[in-house]
Amino acid sequence: GAVVSQHPSWVICKSGTSVKIECRSLDFQATTMFWYRQFPKQSLMLMATSNEGSKATYEQGVEKDKFLINHASLTLSTLTVTSAHPEDSSFYICSARDGTRNYGYTFGSGTRLTVV
Amino acid sequence: LAKTTQPISMDSYEGQEVNITCSHNNIATNDYITWYQQFPSQGPRFIIQGYKTKVTNEVASLFIPADRKSSTLSLPRVSLSDTAVYYCLVGRLMNTGFQKLVFGTGTRLLVSP
């Protein structure tokens, strides 16, 4: 149980374009989801907290106008990287927790973004 | 959020028991301790969670001393497939709203034949 599906698993885009990443909770409702970014050989860095029906909360140093988060339903949050640059190339991961079950957060499989 | 400290890396051999210790000196009364495993190019996977004493599941055991300022993840008889990064996190499970998880450096475990 508590499955989080992330799509796409990898994407290559040109500089200046935008890319949307989807995060879905398949068998539970997630009022809150989290978005992380991970560079090679580094730990996960929390980018923002996605709240259903309201604005996302961004961590310090994360540009909200560049990383647009939409959490329009209880099972879907999207992260859009706008005007992507090569330095945005990274591994993006979402997570959510099923509040009805007593175990930890479930993570998506991640999205490898390469900006060329 | 309590800060955690773990060894950067550990090496082991197949069939051995591996113990990874995490320090969390500033753990709060309501904080739980959770361990995650991450393989390359995958999202972290929940391993085990505990509050005090000992917790065991089908993949690992978690030992927490009485002062709760540290915890030890024990992996019995590791195999090559246990090569991964292991993260220790400390935080509160809240009934309403969810506490964000902040990851530390993690421990990179390498299991050799």
Side-chain angles (χ1 to χ4, degrees), chain A residues 39-105:
Chain A
F39 293 107
K41 303 291 187 183
Q42 294 187 23
S43 183
L44 284 78
M45 185 193 79
L46 179 65
M47 299 176 66
T49 302
S50 173
N51 303 298
E52 186 268 334
S54 64
K55 292 182 179 180
T57 304
Y58 291 82
E59 295 299 303
Q60 190 174 6
V62 178
E63 300 176 59
K64 63 179 181 180
D65 294 330
K66 181 168 185 61
F67 299 100
L68 300 180
I69 291 174
N70 184 279
H71 195 152
S73 78
L74 288 172
T75 59
L76 174 64
S77 175
T78 61
L79 168 69
T80 301
V81 182
T82 64
S83 187
H85 290 112
E87 56 264 33
D88 298 324
S89 297
S90 188
F91 191 55
Y92 293 86
I93 310 169
C94 68
S95 77
R97 176 174 173 253
D98 182 356
T100 65
R101 308 183 208 202
N102 188 25
Y103 49 73
Y105 292 70

Side-chain angles (χ1 to χ4, degrees), chain A residues 31-32 34 36 38 41-44 46 49 59 91 93 97-99 102-110 112, chain B residues 34 36 38 40-46 49 87 92-94 97-106 108:
Chain A
T31 56
T32 302
F34 302 93
Y36 293 83
Q38 186 175 34
K41 303 291 187 183
Q42 294 187 23
S43 183
L44 284 78
L46 179 65
T49 302
E59 295 299 303
F91 191 55
I93 310 169
R97 176 174 173 253
D98 182 356
N102 188 25
Y103 49 73
Y105 292 70
T106 301
F107 288 79
S109 54
R112 173 76 57 194
Chain B
T34 312
Y36 288 84
Q38 186 183 28
S41 296
Q42 293 186 27
R45 183 177 72 100
F46 172 86
Q49 180 176 273
Y87 294 98
R92 223 154 300 163
L93 289 181
M94 304 187 294
F98 302 107
Q99 185 179 44
K100 56 188 180 184
L101 296 183
V102 177
F103 284 76
T105 57
R108 192 172 297 273

